[in-house]
Amino acid sequence: MAEQTYLRDIADHVDQEITVRGWLYNRRDSGRLQFLLVRDGTGMVQAVAFQREVPPEVWEAASQVTQESSVIATGTVRADDRAPGGYELGLSDFRIVQLAEEYPIALKSHGVDFLMENRHLWLRAPSQWAVLRVRAATIRAIRDWLDDHGFLLVDTPILTPAACEGTTTLFETEYFGETAYLSQSGQLYNEATAAAFGRTYCFGPTFRAEKSKTRRHLIEFWMVEPEMAYADLDECMRVEEEMVSYVVQSVLERCAPELEILERDTGKLAQITPPFPRITYDEALGILGEAGEPLPWGEDFGAPHETILGNRFDKPVFVHRYPSQCKAFYMAPDENDARLSLSVDMIAPDGYGELIGGGQRLHDLALLEQRLAEHNLPREAFEWYLDLRRYGSVPHSGFGLGIERTVAWLCDLSHIRQTIAFPRTLGRIYP
Amino acid sequence: MAEQTYLRDIADHVDQEITVRGWLYNRRDSGRLQFLLVRDGTGMVQAVAFQREVPPEVWEAASQVTQESSVIATGTVRADDRAPGGYELGLSDFRIVQLAEEYPIALKSHGVDFLMENRHLWLRAPSQWAVLRVRAATIRAIRDWLDDHGFLLVDTPILTPAACEGTTTLFETEYFGETAYLSQSGQLYNEATAAAFGRTYCFGPTFRAEKSKTRRHLIEFWMVEPEMAYADLDECMRVEEEMVSYVVQSVLERCAPELEILERDTGKLAQITPPFPRITYDEALGILGEAGEPLPWGEDFGAPHETILGNRFDKPVFVHRYPSQCKAFYMAPDENDARLSLSVDMIAPDGYGELIGGGQRLHDLALLEQRLAEHNLPREAFEWYLDLRRYGSVPHSGFGLGIERTVAWLCDLSHIRQTIAFPRTLGRIYP
C-alpha cells in the first residue's frame, strides 16, 4: 500500500501530495465539483474533485460514494482559510474500498436510545469522537502525573472473595465452587501495596449493581485510586488538588480542537489551579440550609445537595470531616471530635457532583476489629486486612477519582453515558 | 510531620540530614552498634546507631524494634561503598510508629502456598517488590509507545452480552435479569473503535475460567490489545516487534536495580531489537519434527511445542499463517492458500511461551456471516459486529499482548503467579 498520511499531521504537508485512508463523512455535489469530507480517525479534511481535472473513474467514484464508505483519497494539500480546519485536499485519485449500505445514523438528529443501540457506529460522529479523545487525554494525564510523582501502578484484583462496603450492590459469579464478587474498589488492596511500595495506585474497571437510573451513574465505570503510606488528610487534599489541576490544564493544552467541537467554555477550566476551597461538613450543612435544602446532621449528600455545594464555587470544593456514620468502616476518626471521620469528598462545579471520595484510613488494630463487628463484616475475609495493622501500621490516606464524571465535567456533558465507549446502564448491555 | 525524603533520591542528599519514613526490614546487633535495614517502598538503606552517640531513647528503640515495624529514622547520609546500595544513614533519631507483632514471613525460605496465603505481606520482600516494579515499568512503556505512535486508548467493556470465542471458559453473572459474561478480550469492540479512531488500544483485565493449572496461566490477567484500521499482517508484525523491543529496552534502562535483585541476565534482553525472525506454521512444524515432537498439520501448539520453537531463537519469533481451523472465527483467510489464516503469534525465547496472538481480521461481510454460522455463534449478538463490514469495512489487524507473560519473561520467573500483586488461580482467590 502507498504510504498513509494521518490527517492530524496535515499541516506538515502543505503543497505536497498525500494519501489518506479513511471514511466518507459527508458529500456535497455542485455540478462539476464534488466536495467530499473525509475522516481518518485522527481528523477530517475536505477533498475537492473538479470534473475537468480528474480521470473519469475518479469522478465516478466521487459521485457515487455513500456516507461512511471506506475510501482512499490522494491529492495535494492546500492551505485555505475557508475550508473546514484550514486545509483542503485537491483530489488526483479517489478509490472506494467498500461502498457502505445506507448508513443508519444520517446527519440529522436521532433519539438517544437509537444512538446507544448503534453505539459502535455513533462513535464515529464528531461529538463522540471528541469526547473519547478527551477521555484518553484525561487518563494519560492522570497516569503521567502519578508516575512522575512517585506513585507505582499496582493492579488490584477484580474477582474478590469479599465486599469492601457490603454485598448489596455487588455482581457475583461462581469461582470454581466458591462465590466471587466483582470489585467495587481496589482500596483495601491498595492499603497493602502502599505498605510495600510507599505510594501506589490502581486503575481499572469497577462495578456497582445499583438499580438507580441517574445521569451520574454507570454500572461499569473506571476509577483511579491512589494510596499513600505516611500521609494524613491534609496531604491527601493537597495531592488531589495538584493532580486534578494538572489533568485539567493538560486536557486544555492537548484537546483544544476536541473542546471546540464540544463547544466547551474553556475559560472556566483555565481557572482550575490549586488551592481548591475547603469547607467542613458542618459548613456545607449551613450552605444547604441557606439554599433552602436543609439536611439533618449525619446524613450524606444526594445529587441535589452536591449540585448546590458545587455551584457555590468556581473550582472543585473539598468537603471534609463527614460524620463517621455516613462513611465507610475504614475511615479514621477525627481526634478532635469522635463523631467525625477524616474523610473528604471533592465536588465539581456546575452540577457534575462528586469527582473524588477519600480520606485518611483507620490504622489502629483494635478499632478496626470493633468496626468490622459493628458493620457485620465477615472477619475471616478481612484477616489479611487486619494484618496491615499488626505489622507496621502507619497513618495512610488515599482517594478514588471517577473517570467518567471527570470527563463529563471536562466536556460539559449532561449525561455520563457518553463518556465511555460502550456504556453499561440499567437497561443496556448491548452492543 | 517533618519532611520525608524517599530513598530513591538518597544520592541527592549525601552529607545532609534526612528523615525516612518506612519499615524495618532487618536488624543486626553488635554490642554498641545497631545496624538497621530500613525500607520505605522506594528503596532500602542501612541505618547505623552508635550507643555512645545517640540519646538513650533512640538506642532503646533501635534495640527493641521488630521486623516490619513502622519506623521514622532521621540521620545523615554518608556515601560508603561497603554499605548495601552504597549509602549509609548515621542515625540521630529513631522512632517506632507501630511495633510489629512477630512477622510471619521470617527472612528464611517458606513454601509458595504459605507465601501466597500471605501475599499482602510477601509483596514487601525485595524479590516481589522488584517484580512488581518491573511490571509497572512494562505497562508504562507499552502505554507510552502506543500513545506516542498514534494509538488512542479506548476502554472496552468487561461485562458483555456474548462471547468472543465461545462460552465454555467464561465467567457469568446476572445482569438485571439477563446473563452477562466477563470479557476474555476487547478485540471485537476494538474493531469498532479502530473504524472511528484509526488506531486504538484497550488495556484491561480479562478472565478465563479454565480448569487447567499451569505455570503460564492465570484466571484473571491483564492484556493490551492494539487494533489498526488499514493495516495488513506485515504491518501488524512490524508494530509488534517495534513495541516489544521498546518495552524491553525501556525496562532495561529504568529497572537496572530491580533486575539485579532478580539476578536477571540482561545481556540476552539487550539483544531484543527489530527485526524478529519470521517463520510460517509449516516451517514451525518442520522444526518440531526435527526436535522429535511432531505435530499433525492443523493442530495448535501446546506449551512444549512453544518452548521448542522459542528456544530456537535468541529473540521472540513470529509464527504466521496458522491453519484457519485452529484459530478464531474472525481471522482473515490467506488469499494464496484458503486453508491458512493471516494469523501470527509471537513466541518468547527461553520457554516463556506465547506473548502475543494476533493477525489480520476478516473484513468481508458474506464470509463473516458464514463463519458465525459454522461456529454456531448467536447471530443477534453479533449484529453490531456485522455492521462493521456493512459500513466502511477495511482491511484491519491487531493483536493482544499478555502482561503477565511478558513480565515473567523480563524477570526470568518460572511461574507467572509472581507477576501480579494478587494472583487469581484455580485454587486461590484470597487475599
Side-chain angles (χ1 to χ4, degrees):
Chain A
M1 305 193 211
E3 204 175 328
Q4 171 173 7
T5 298
Y6 283 100
L7 290 172
R8 63 169 173 262
D9 304 322
I10 195 168
D12 303 334
H13 296 273
V14 175
D15 297 329
Q16 295 171 17
E17 186 172 270
I18 64 170
T19 293
V20 176
R21 300 173 195 275
W23 296 265
L24 187 85
Y25 178 67
N26 198 10
R27 189 169 69 84
R28 196 157 52 81
D29 186 329
S30 75
R32 296 183 190 168
L33 275 172
Q34 297 278 3
F35 297 96
L36 308 171
L37 265 177
V38 176
R39 63 169 193 87
D40 74 348
T42 73
M44 198 154 353
V45 71
Q46 178 169 276
V48 185
F50 289 79
Q51 186 168 15
R52 284 189 312 194
E53 293 180 5
V54 296
E57 65 276 15
V58 169
W59 181 255
E60 176 64 19
S63 305
Q64 68 163 43
V65 64
T66 53
Q67 189 188 353
E68 283 303 326
S69 291
S70 39
V71 299
I72 300 177
T74 300
T76 302
V77 177
R78 292 189 289 249
D80 186 338
D81 289 342
R82 295 162 307 173
Y87 301 95
E88 208 173 63
L89 197 65
L91 275 184
S92 54
D93 194 17
F94 185 75
R95 291 160 196 232
I96 298 172
V97 179
Q98 188 251 343
L99 189 68
E101 299 177 20
E102 193 185 347
Y103 195 60
I105 307 181
L107 299 176
K108 57 167 192 176
S109 258
H110 293 276
V112 76
D113 275 347
F114 176 82
L115 292 170
M116 279 297 171
E117 191 72 12
N118 290 284
R119 183 63 173 166
H120 54 294
L121 302 175
W122 190 27
L123 293 173
R124 305 178 184 184
S127 60
Q128 305 308 302
W129 177 88
V131 170
L132 288 171
R133 284 173 60 96
V134 170
R135 178 188 171 100
T138 301
I139 292 173
R140 186 170 197 190
I142 291 169
R143 290 187 177 270
D144 283 348
W145 194 88
L146 290 169
D147 290 342
D148 292 341
H149 286 78
F151 288 79
L152 191 81
L153 171 70
V154 185
D155 298 308
T156 52
I158 308 300
L159 294 170
T160 56
C164 179
E165 306 176 30
T167 61
T168 49
T169 58
L170 289 178
F171 287 102
E172 58 178 67
T173 188
E174 202 213 303
Y175 188 88
F176 308 109
E178 294 181 68
T179 299
Y181 301 94
L182 300 193
S183 174
Q184 287 191 334
S185 162
Q187 185 212 310
L188 303 192
Y189 292 99
N190 283 342
E191 294 183 53
T193 62
F197 303 97
R199 296 193 166 200
T200 59
Y201 68 103
C202 66
F203 202 147
T206 51
F207 305 86
R208 295 206 181 186
E210 264 179 296
K211 286 220 167 132
S212 64
K213 207 170 180 172
T214 84
R215 61 188 183 80
R216 290 183 189 169
H217 288 89
L218 292 170
I219 301 300
E220 177 179 325
F221 58 102
W222 286 67
M223 193 154 60
V224 59
E225 297 178 88
E227 190 76 26
M228 301 167 275
Y230 289 105
D232 59 15
L233 180 64
D234 284 338
E235 170 72 355
C236 189
M237 289 193 262
R238 200 192 59 74
V239 167
E240 290 181 29
E241 68 192 0
E242 290 284 342
M243 185 180 94
V244 168
S245 298
Y246 175 82
V247 169
V248 173
Q249 299 311 319
S250 173
V251 166
L252 282 179
E253 194 182 312
R254 296 185 191 185
C255 296
E258 289 83 358
L259 295 172
E260 200 181 318
I261 289 171
L262 297 167
E263 298 176 0
R264 177 58 161 123
D265 174 0
T266 54
K268 282 185 169 180
L269 294 179
Q271 297 164 27
I272 308 296
T273 51
F276 293 175
R278 289 156 164 74
I279 60 173
T280 64
Y281 173 85
D282 283 351
E283 287 166 341
L285 283 197
I287 292 173
L288 293 175
E290 281 168 29
E293 280 273 2
L295 194 72
W297 193 93
E299 286 192 20
D300 202 356
F301 306 132
H305 311 111
E306 288 173 0
T307 298
I308 292 167
L309 294 170
N311 283 342
R312 278 291 273 268
F313 303 92
D314 289 335
K315 299 180 185 183
V317 56
F318 287 117
V319 182
H320 58 90
R321 293 183 166 78
Y322 288 71
S324 296
Q325 67 191 74
C326 65
K327 286 291 175 187
F329 72 92
Y330 48 71
M331 289 293 181
D334 185 353
E335 285 179 10
N336 301 314
D337 185 340
R339 301 170 310 153
L340 303 181
S341 62
L342 296 178
S343 52
V344 61
D345 286 353
M346 183 193 287
I347 297 173
D350 300 323
Y352 287 100
E354 183 194 319
L355 298 178
I356 292 182
Q360 190 171 332
R361 322 308 189 180
L362 198 166
H363 70 279
D364 180 74
L365 178 62
L367 183 55
L368 180 57
E369 287 177 316
Q370 183 190 320
R371 288 272 182 89
L372 287 176
E374 284 166 10
H375 285 75
N376 291 315
L377 289 163
R379 190 174 156 129
E380 330 70 82
F382 288 91
E383 277 302 329
W384 69 267
Y385 188 64
L386 291 164
D387 275 355
L388 306 178
R389 278 73 185 169
R390 294 186 182 110
Y391 308 110
S393 193
V394 302
H396 61 292
S397 300
F399 61 93
L401 175 141
I403 300 306
E404 287 75 15
R405 290 211 187 155
T406 304
V407 174
W409 169 46
L410 293 173
C411 293
D412 201 12
L413 300 175
S414 60
H415 201 299
I416 203 173
R417 66 190 155 209
Q418 292 182 34
T419 62
I420 190 165
F422 297 96
R424 296 301 178 236
T425 54
L426 193 49
R428 174 165 300 285
I429 194 178
Y430 177 96
Chain B
M1 305 195 212
E3 205 177 325
Q4 170 172 9
T5 299
Y6 283 101
L7 290 173
R8 63 169 173 261
D9 302 323
I10 195 167
D12 303 335
H13 296 273
V14 174
D15 297 328
Q16 295 170 18
E17 185 172 88
I18 64 169
T19 294
V20 176
R21 298 173 196 275
W23 296 264
L24 186 85
Y25 179 67
N26 198 10
R27 189 169 70 85
R28 197 157 51 83
D29 187 329
S30 76
R32 294 179 191 172
L33 275 172
Q34 297 279 2
F35 297 96
L36 307 171
L37 265 178
V38 176
R39 64 170 192 85
D40 74 348
T42 74
M44 202 162 335
V45 71
Q46 178 169 278
V48 184
F50 288 79
Q51 187 169 13
R52 283 189 313 195
E53 292 178 7
V54 296
E57 66 275 15
V58 169
W59 180 255
E60 175 65 21
S63 305
Q64 69 161 42
V65 65
T66 52
Q67 190 189 351
E68 284 303 325
S69 290
S70 40
V71 299
I72 301 178
T74 300
T76 302
V77 177
R78 292 189 292 248
D80 185 339
D81 288 342
R82 294 162 308 171
Y87 300 96
E88 205 172 66
L89 198 65
L91 275 185
S92 54
D93 195 16
F94 186 75
R95 290 159 197 231
I96 297 172
V97 179
Q98 189 251 341
L99 187 69
E101 299 176 21
E102 194 185 347
Y103 195 59
I105 307 181
L107 299 176
K108 56 166 192 176
S109 262
H110 293 277
V112 76
D113 274 348
F114 177 82
L115 292 170
M116 280 297 172
E117 190 73 12
N118 289 285
R119 182 65 172 165
H120 54 294
L121 302 176
W122 190 26
L123 292 173
R124 304 178 185 185
S127 60
Q128 305 307 302
W129 178 86
V131 170
L132 289 170
R133 284 173 62 95
V134 169
R135 178 188 172 100
T138 301
I139 292 172
R140 186 171 196 188
I142 291 169
R143 290 186 177 271
D144 282 349
W145 193 88
L146 290 168
D147 289 342
D148 292 342
H149 287 78
F151 289 79
L152 191 81
L153 171 70
V154 185
D155 298 309
T156 52
I158 308 299
L159 294 170
T160 56
C164 179
E165 304 175 34
T167 61
T168 48
T169 57
L170 288 179
F171 287 101
E172 59 178 67
T173 189
E174 201 213 305
Y175 189 89
F176 307 109
E178 293 181 70
T179 300
Y181 301 95
L182 301 194
S183 174
Q184 286 191 335
S185 162
Q187 184 212 310
L188 303 192
Y189 291 99
N190 282 342
E191 294 182 53
T193 62
F197 302 97
R199 296 192 166 201
T200 58
Y201 68 102
C202 66
F203 202 146
T206 52
F207 306 86
R208 294 207 180 183
E210 262 178 297
K211 286 221 169 130
S212 64
K213 207 170 179 172
T214 85
R215 61 189 183 81
R216 290 183 189 169
H217 288 90
L218 291 170
I219 301 300
E220 176 178 327
F221 58 102
W222 286 67
M223 194 154 59
V224 60
E225 296 178 90
E227 189 76 25
M228 301 167 276
Y230 288 106
D232 60 15
L233 181 64
D234 284 338
E235 170 72 354
C236 189
M237 288 193 262
R238 201 191 58 74
V239 167
E240 290 182 28
E241 67 193 0
E242 289 285 342
M243 187 182 92
V244 168
S245 298
Y246 175 82
V247 169
V248 173
Q249 299 311 319
S250 173
V251 166
L252 281 179
E253 194 182 312
R254 294 184 193 188
C255 295
E258 289 83 358
L259 296 172
E260 200 182 316
I261 288 171
L262 297 167
E263 298 175 358
R264 177 58 161 123
D265 175 359
T266 54
K268 283 184 170 182
L269 294 178
Q271 298 163 27
I272 308 297
T273 52
F276 294 174
R278 289 155 164 73
I279 60 173
T280 64
Y281 173 85
D282 284 350
E283 287 166 341
L285 283 196
I287 292 172
L288 294 175
E290 282 168 28
E293 280 271 3
L295 194 74
W297 193 94
E299 286 191 20
D300 202 357
F301 306 131
H305 310 111
E306 288 174 0
T307 298
I308 292 167
L309 294 170
N311 283 343
R312 278 291 273 266
F313 303 92
D314 289 336
K315 299 179 184 184
V317 57
F318 287 117
V319 182
H320 58 89
R321 292 180 167 80
Y322 289 71
S324 296
Q325 67 192 74
C326 65
K327 287 290 175 188
F329 71 93
Y330 48 71
M331 288 292 182
D334 185 353
E335 285 179 11
N336 301 316
D337 185 341
R339 301 171 310 153
L340 303 181
S341 63
L342 295 178
S343 52
V344 60
D345 287 353
M346 184 194 287
I347 297 174
D350 300 323
Y352 288 100
E354 183 194 319
L355 298 178
I356 293 182
Q360 190 170 331
R361 322 308 189 179
L362 197 166
H363 70 279
D364 180 73
L365 178 63
L367 184 55
L368 180 57
E369 287 175 317
Q370 183 190 321
R371 288 272 183 91
L372 287 176
E374 285 166 9
H375 285 76
N376 292 313
L377 290 163
R379 188 174 158 129
E380 332 68 84
F382 288 90
E383 276 303 328
W384 69 268
Y385 187 65
L386 291 164
D387 275 355
L388 306 177
R389 280 72 185 170
R390 294 186 182 109
Y391 309 110
S393 193
V394 302
H396 60 293
S397 300
F399 61 94
L401 174 140
I403 299 306
E404 287 76 13
R405 290 212 188 154
T406 304
V407 174
W409 169 47
L410 293 174
C411 293
D412 199 13
L413 301 175
S414 60
H415 199 300
I416 203 174
R417 67 189 155 208
Q418 293 182 33
T419 62
I420 189 165
F422 297 95
R424 297 299 179 237
T425 53
L426 193 49
R428 173 166 301 286
I429 194 179
Y430 177 95

